[in-house]
Amino acid sequence: MGAAMAPAAVDTMLAHFKDTGRKPSYYDLIITGDLGHIGKDIVCDMMPTYGYNVKPNYNDCGVLIFDKEAQDTHSGGSGCACCGTVFSGFLFNQLKQKKYNKILLIATGALMNSTSSQQGESIPGIAHAVAIENLDN
């Protein structure tokens, strides 16, 4: 599903950078969830075509939540709770410890039901971004 959702994540990132005038380097971390390894690679491949390099500070919650070799998860973690779990359980503590001060959190999803792909329908992706900044520097 990460491949289906990656273009929505890219579109949301592009809209955010255009709206705010910021560049990827403004953020300590840009994080999507849950694209997994495949979707993350697609984002990293697509963003340079629009003039943005996100590789230095970009990661994905689905990639972070599991060890794909040790846990045999193939592409990574998935599910609607992946982004929330990684943010509230890990990244929020990183903000409190001031390891990160500026995070762009992009939650992703697929709008489908159990029969849409069996009927040959496309899988629409959706993403929304939340910019989180630690102002207590």
Side-chain angles (χ1 to χ4, degrees):
M1 295 308 302
M5 297 182 291
V10 167
D11 188 57
T12 299
M13 274 189 236
L14 293 172
H16 176 77
F17 295 143
K18 180 181 176 189
D19 288 349
T20 62
R22 296 176 182 161
K23 298 188 181 312
S25 59
Y26 177 83
Y27 294 98
D28 300 318
L29 177 66
I30 298 170
I31 188 106
T32 53
D34 61 329
L35 302 180
H37 291 280
I38 295 168
K40 178 183 175 186
D41 289 346
I42 291 170
V43 168
C44 289
D45 289 345
M46 288 181 72
M47 288 301 288
T49 65
Y50 298 101
Y52 294 98
N53 178 16
V54 296
K55 281 186 181 181
N57 56 338
Y58 169 63
N59 213 330
D60 180 76
C61 294
V63 171
L64 292 176
I65 202 165
F66 292 110
D67 179 333
K68 85 175 185 177
E69 276 78 33
Q71 295 175 299
D72 194 27
T73 58
H74 304 285
S75 185
S78 68
C80 59
C82 190
C83 190
T85 300
V86 172
F87 176 74
S88 63
F90 175 68
L91 295 176
F92 185 69
N93 285 331
Q94 300 294 303
L95 281 165
K96 288 194 318 187
Q97 295 170 9
K98 297 186 180 14
K99 179 175 181 186
Y100 298 124
N101 289 305
K102 297 174 186 171
I103 296 175
L104 182 61
L105 179 70
I106 303 164
T108 58
L111 304 172
M112 59 177 280
N113 61 42
S114 59
T115 59
S116 59
S117 59
Q118 294 171 357
Q119 296 170 338
E121 299 292 326
S122 62
I123 302 171
I126 189 168
H128 66 273
V130 179
I132 303 160
E133 296 192 30
N134 185 355
L135 300 177
D136 191 27
N137 289 327

